[in-house]
Amino acid sequence: MNKVHAVITGIGGYIPEYVLTNEEISTYVDTSNEWILQRIGIKERRILKPEEGVGVTYLAEKAIEDLRSKKDFDPLEIEAIIFATSTPDYILPNSASLIAYKTGMTNAFGFDLSAACSGYIYALEVASVYISSGKYKKVMVIAGDVLSVLTDTLDRNTCPIFSDACGVALLEATTEEEGIIDSILHVDGNSLEYLHMLGGGSVHPASHETVDQRMHFIQQDGKVVFKRAVTSMAEVCEEIIQKNHLTKDDVKWVVPHQANLRIIEAVASRLDIPLDKVMVNIDKYGNSSAGTIPLCLWDWEKHMRKGDNVILTAFGAGYTWGAVYLKWGYNA
Ligand SMILES: CC(C)(COP(=O)(O)OP(=O)(O)OC[C@H]1O[C@@H](n2cnc3c(N)ncnc32)[C@H](O)[C@@H]1OP(=O)(O)O)[C@@H](O)C(=O)NCCC(=O)NCCS
C-alpha cells in the first residue's frame, strides 16, 4: 500500500486593514523611511488597531472565511485544529478552542502551538504526522500573530519590523506522492539572552514593576539574531535539499520566514537559488511571526502548480528553526 501523505488542499489568509507606514513610525521614533527600506526591506505593514477590541482569533476567523470562499468543505469534518501563535487571545482558554467555536469546527480537538516564528512549519509537521498515522484525514493548520501588542513603539530596534497577519491551510490525506514529504526541525534554548519577552510568564508575572520596566515587549539583539537566522536557515535548507536528492533546479519555490529582506537575500545567496524563486512579501506585510509563511503561500497561491517542489524555512525565538519539503497539490 502507498504511504499516506498530508497534502495542503486549500489556503486562506487575512491581513488587518490598517496600513502602518514607515513615515508614521518616523513620527514616534528616531528613524526614517530610507533606513527601514535599506536595512529591513519593509515599506509598510498591517496592524490590528487596539480600538477594534479583537485579537488573533479574529484574524484566524477571517482567514478561514477566505479559505471557505475558495474551497468547499464542511467544518464539521475537521478532526484537529493546530494553531501556531505567540499571541493568543487569552492565556486561558486556548485560542484553538475559540476558533473551533467561532467557525463551526466543533467535532475537532485543538490546541495552540508555541514556536514563535517557526510555528507554521512546526504545525505542518504535527499535522503531517497525525495524517500519515492514518488516524486523521482532515486537519486545519492556522498560524498567525498580533505582534503589534508585544511591540514597544518607543524601541526603534523592533517597532519597524513587527506586524499582524494570519494564514490557514487545510491538510488532507492522500496516497499520491505529493504533500509534505520531509521536514527537519530544531530547537535550542539559547535565545533567551538575545530574543525575548520577559514579562507576563510564570517567572515575571504581570505587576506594576514589569509594566514600568517595559517587560511586556519583545527585546532583541538584532545583529546576533540576524547572523543565527541566516546560518540556521541556509544550513537546514541545504540539508533537506540534499537528503531528498533534489538539485537546485528541482526546487521551484523557497518560502522563507519574512524577518528582514537582507536575511532572505543572504539565505538565497548561500543556497545559490535565484531570488525569482524566493517568495518575498516583507515589503508589504512586515514580520507577522508565525503568519509570514502561510501569508506568502496565500499571496503566491495562483502562481503555484501541482507537483511544484517547495521548501519552507523559518527561524525564530527559542531558538526554533527548520525546513519542510513539500510537493504542491493543486492548481488554484
Ligand atoms: C534589527 C536590525 C534591523 C538592525 O539592523 P542592523 O543593520 O543590524 O543595525 P545595527 O543594530 O547594527 O545598527 C546600525 C546603526 O543604525 C542605528 N539604528 C538601529 N535601528 C534603527 C532604526 N530603526 N532607524 C535608524 N537607525 C537605526 C543603530 O543605532 C546604529 O547606529 P550607530 O552605528 O550610530 O550605533 C537587524 O539587525 C535585524 O533585522 N536583525 C534580525 C532581527 C529579527 O529578525 N528578529 C526577529 C527574529 S524572527
Side-chain angles (χ1 to χ4, degrees):
M1 210 176 89
N2 286 348
K3 185 174 181 316
V4 176
H5 289 287
V7 63
I8 294 177
T9 58
I11 289 282
Y14 184 74
I15 40 169
E17 278 172 24
Y18 190 79
V19 179
L20 176 61
T21 61
N22 293 344
E23 285 75 16
E24 184 175 344
I25 291 176
S26 313
T27 63
Y28 47 77
V29 283
D30 181 14
T31 189
S32 65
N33 180 41
E34 294 68 34
W35 195 94
I36 299 171
L37 274 176
Q38 263 181 21
R39 305 304 296 166
I40 312 177
I42 300 177
K43 290 193 185 111
E44 58 187 40
R45 72 287 290 140
R46 299 299 182 102
I47 298 294
L48 188 63
K49 297 292 269 184
E51 305 81 275
E52 296 188 41
V54 288
V56 72
T57 65
Y58 172 78
L59 306 188
E61 207 182 331
K62 290 286 190 186
I64 290 168
E65 223 173 274
D66 177 54
L67 167 65
R68 291 194 71 187
S69 71
K70 297 182 281 183
K71 167 94 188 158
D72 189 25
F73 68 94
D74 181 353
L76 292 172
E77 287 177 0
I78 304 299
E79 297 155 300
I81 302 165
I82 307 171
F83 183 30
T85 190
S86 304
T87 49
D89 280 8
Y90 309 101
I91 302 294
L92 279 175
N94 72 23
S95 288
S97 306
L98 300 175
I99 296 167
Y101 177 69
K102 287 179 180 182
T103 61
M105 297 191 285
T106 46
N107 284 330
F109 78 101
F111 56 89
D112 296 357
L113 183 157
S114 165
C117 303
S118 305
Y120 184 68
I121 62 169
Y122 271 49
L124 283 185
E125 167 72 348
V126 175
S128 165
V129 173
Y130 279 0
I131 287 176
S132 57
S133 76
K135 185 164 181 187
Y136 302 99
K137 294 196 169 43
K138 283 188 202 294
V139 177
M140 188 68 74
V141 166
I142 311 167
D145 275 293
V146 179
L147 274 195
S148 57
V149 298
L150 309 183
T151 303
D152 186 346
T153 50
L154 302 181
D155 180 3
R156 69 177 185 172
N157 260 315
T158 51
C159 75
I161 299 176
F162 297 134
S163 64
D164 307 338
C166 186
V168 299
L170 176 61
L171 277 90
E172 298 187 67
T174 179
T175 48
E176 283 186 47
E177 189 57 22
E178 63 182 20
I180 297 170
I181 309 289
D182 196 13
S183 69
I184 303 174
L185 302 177
H186 294 285
V187 67
D188 136 11
N190 70 0
S191 95
L192 187 58
E193 191 180 342
Y194 305 111
L195 181 55
H196 55 234
M197 191 193 83
L198 298 177
S202 50
V203 175
H204 301 289
S207 65
H208 285 292
E209 197 189 340
T210 60
V211 172
D212 290 345
Q213 293 184 9
R214 307 188 83 73
M215 287 166 72
H216 296 274
F217 297 123
I218 298 174
Q219 292 168 333
Q220 67 174 352
D221 181 332
K223 272 196 185 318
V224 174
V225 177
F226 188 107
K227 282 188 197 146
R228 268 298 298 263
V230 172
T231 326
S232 301
M233 285 196 284
E235 279 176 8
V236 75
C237 285
E238 195 65 60
E239 192 184 344
I240 206 162
I241 287 170
Q242 284 187 18
K243 189 172 159 220
N244 290 280
H245 312 292
L246 297 168
T247 66
K248 300 288 164 70
D249 285 343
D250 294 332
V251 176
K252 182 74 196 214
W253 304 106
V254 174
V255 193
H257 170 51
Q258 312 281 303
N260 183 313
L261 181 60
R262 290 183 297 127
I263 294 179
I264 297 171
E265 288 172 346
V267 170
S269 152
R270 286 186 184 206
L271 292 175
D272 196 21
I273 288 191
L275 274 175
D276 60 1
K277 290 183 170 188
V278 181
M279 294 186 192
V280 180
N281 61 13
I282 188 173
D283 52 323
K284 295 185 286 184
Y285 305 134
N287 177 355
S288 57
S289 192
T292 66
I293 295 178
L295 207 62
C296 281
L297 297 176
W298 172 72
D299 232 2
W300 264 262
E301 188 188 22
K302 55 186 171 302
H303 302 293
M304 300 172 79
R305 289 287 163 268
K306 190 174 168 68
D308 282 355
N309 289 307
V310 186
I311 306 285
L312 315 178
T313 185
F315 180 86
Y319 298 114
T320 54
W321 75 101
V324 168
Y325 162 44
L326 57 87
K327 265 189 189 296
W328 196 246
Y330 64 96
N331 299 327

